[in-house]
Amino acid sequence: MNQYNFPTIILSGQGSLKEFVNRLKSKSHQRILVVTDETLKACGLLDNLTSLLTDAMVDFNVFSEIHPNPVESDIKKGTAVFKETQCDSIIALGGGSPMDAAKAIKIMAVHPSPLAQYDDARGGDQLITKPMPPLYAIPTTAGTGSEVGRSAVIISSTTGKKAIFFHPDLIPDIAVLEPELTVGLPPHITAATGIDAFVHSLEAYFSPGLHPMADGIALQGIELVLDWLPRAVDDGQNLDARERMLIAAAMGATAFQKGLGMIHSLAHPLSSRYNMHHGLANALFLPAGIAFIEASDLNTDQMSRIDRVRSLFEKRWPGSESLSQSSKQFVEHLGIQFGLSAHGIKEEDLEALSREAFEDPCHKTNMISVDRQDLLSVYKAAL
Ligand SMILES: [Fe+2]
């Protein structure tokens, strides 16, 4: 038996932010907590939302004290503001961090402390039982797809490690994909976040398990990235490209309920140890990770999946001999420099990285099972 989950209401395209605020008016919320971060406040993106809320006479309060990787104390502060200012709903505006923080505040708004007891690794989802305040999500990057996701990652104050909080009710009630909000992203962030969306779809399509619905979404997500990410990188003002990349990111996150793979496990330690951008880390392992899979002993279904994705590349840029080669050319075209060593990683770091990557759960749904030595070999190949 399988359970398939598909997203919530998605408002997409130019004008979707305005339409969202119009819809809010009819919901009669008492006060909304807008969860964002200092960067978005400073660059003025927050004003796009708050001016519309003010014009519509929707009462709100802004909470922006969130670390780039949200920590437990951020959630405590945000929850206190939510309660003290008598909010009854939440808007998350930003990239993955405000989204994660908003989901954790949503839990803590109505459940007793401490947050740690709701850690998914401890079966904490069973304790998330009360009706929670509505959550609306407005992404300002096109990558994580967290606006259609059901989990949040928060750094524990006791262990200093990332804890994952998961519950089906954490999915935002409305996701707003407003391309205007992403036009200011610089090319290298556009490229890195877009590759994250690509790898979500790719690893979901490659992961084992019967999920033809996720497979279909993943393939279309891959095509969108191949067609539109280069245009979004070349011209950040291209609203058609920005819109399609936001959709591709939401599709990638929808598809990866089927599973991710070894590329994400290899990438995660680079972010936790070296603070590397998650999308960039994925990009650095994309060709080496695919080459490892291509060189493995594959069954007919696995080979046909690789061939199917290769054909999507081939239609656009003919001439590559393998999917790993096509993906390398694609990433290079986006201006990303390959080689872990070019990004400050040394050969002596790889053993420890491979241990951490093996502890990461994503590789458990890789197309083929891998051990620590396999992960180490891909780190070496990507050096
Ligand atoms: Fe990712």
Side-chain angles (χ1 to χ4, degrees):
M1 199 224 93
N2 296 305
Q3 177 174 323
Y4 301 147
N5 294 295
F6 283 89
T8 176
I9 295 168
I10 297 174
L11 303 177
S12 172
Q14 280 182 75
S16 55
L17 185 63
K18 199 164 183 202
E19 169 61 19
F20 162 65
V21 173
N22 275 338
R23 292 191 186 193
L24 271 186
K25 280 195 279 187
S26 63
K27 293 187 183 291
S28 309
H29 292 308
Q30 183 173 287
R31 186 169 295 132
I32 305 176
L33 185 70
V34 177
V35 178
T36 188
D37 61 31
E38 290 297 327
T39 313
L40 289 166
K41 207 171 159 183
C43 75
L45 266 189
L46 175 63
D47 298 339
N48 288 276
L49 172 64
T50 54
S51 61
L52 284 172
L53 291 174
T54 305
D55 290 349
M57 291 193 291
V58 175
D59 201 359
F60 64 92
N61 196 16
V62 175
F63 175 70
S64 59
E65 294 169 53
I66 295 171
H67 289 83
N69 290 307
V71 296
E72 208 171 331
S73 58
D74 301 340
I75 309 310
K76 256 189 204 165
K77 276 188 206 166
T79 305
V81 174
F82 182 93
K83 289 180 178 173
E84 281 159 16
T85 57
Q86 295 174 320
C87 293
D88 58 2
S89 48
I90 305 168
I91 295 176
L93 174 81
S97 307
M99 301 268 175
D100 284 349
K103 287 175 190 170
I105 293 169
K106 177 180 163 107
I107 297 173
M108 298 312 291
V110 290
H111 292 89
S113 297
L115 176 67
Q117 65 185 310
Y118 307 104
D119 185 343
D120 195 54
R122 293 165 52 176
D125 60 319
Q126 300 296 320
L127 301 177
I128 302 173
T129 51
K130 296 186 181 171
M132 293 180 282
L135 168 64
Y136 310 108
I138 310 171
T140 55
T141 62
T144 69
S146 184
E147 64 279 3
V148 295
R150 300 160 179 79
S151 63
V153 179
I154 307 292
I155 296 174
S156 158
S157 58
T158 42
T159 63
K161 288 191 172 170
K162 287 185 171 181
I164 297 172
F165 301 87
F166 175 85
H167 194 276
D169 293 348
L170 290 183
I171 190 165
D173 296 80
I174 301 178
V176 183
L177 311 183
E178 171 61 68
E180 300 260 6
L181 297 177
T182 63
V183 295
L185 286 172
H188 70 285
I189 299 289
T190 302
T193 47
I195 288 293
D196 187 30
F198 178 84
V199 177
H200 290 161
S201 284
L202 182 84
E203 293 207 296
Y205 183 62
F206 279 0
S207 73
L210 181 66
H211 204 324
M213 296 172 85
D215 287 343
I217 289 173
L219 284 171
Q220 188 62 40
I222 287 170
E223 291 211 68
L224 278 175
V225 176
L226 293 180
D227 285 335
W228 294 96
L229 180 56
R231 296 184 219 190
V233 170
D234 286 348
D235 175 13
Q237 302 291 319
N238 183 333
L239 285 167
D240 288 339
R242 293 297 193 183
E243 177 181 1
R244 279 149 182 91
M245 282 309 302
L246 278 165
I247 297 169
M251 292 174 82
T254 304
F256 82 61
Q257 63 181 273
K258 187 185 165 206
L260 285 169
M262 66 192 293
I263 294 172
H264 266 79
S265 285
L266 292 159
H268 283 150
L270 293 196
S271 298
S272 57
R273 283 177 172 248
Y274 303 96
N275 223 13
M276 185 183 287
H277 186 284
H278 171 63
L280 172 62
N282 274 317
L284 298 181
F285 295 115
L286 186 58
I290 295 173
F292 177 86
I293 291 172
E294 284 177 317
S296 303
D297 187 16
L298 302 174
N299 63 33
T300 314
D301 176 65
Q302 291 164 334
M303 282 192 283
S304 86
R305 281 173 189 266
I306 290 173
D307 215 44
R308 186 126 184 220
V309 178
R310 199 177 71 81
S311 73
L312 300 180
F313 276 95
E314 193 66 18
K315 259 200 291 189
R316 293 156 176 90
W317 300 283
S320 287
E321 283 168 11
S322 63
L323 179 58
S324 54
Q325 204 181 87
S326 303
S327 66
K328 186 164 189 277
Q329 285 168 0
F330 181 65
V331 173
E332 274 172 341
H333 176 80
L334 298 173
I336 292 175
Q337 190 186 357
F338 276 111
L340 298 178
S341 52
H343 298 272
I345 317 294
K346 299 189 176 69
E347 188 162 9
E348 56 264 35
D349 302 336
L350 302 185
E351 279 283 344
L353 284 169
S354 69
R355 275 195 294 276
E356 207 169 308
F358 190 62
E359 279 173 26
D360 182 274
C362 292
H363 69 78
K364 288 181 182 155
T365 47
N366 195 51
M367 178 183 268
I368 49 165
S369 64
V370 290
D371 59 25
R372 195 179 72 76
Q373 285 305 321
D374 295 330
L375 296 172
L376 181 60
S377 74
V378 181
Y379 273 123
K380 286 182 175 169
L383 191 63

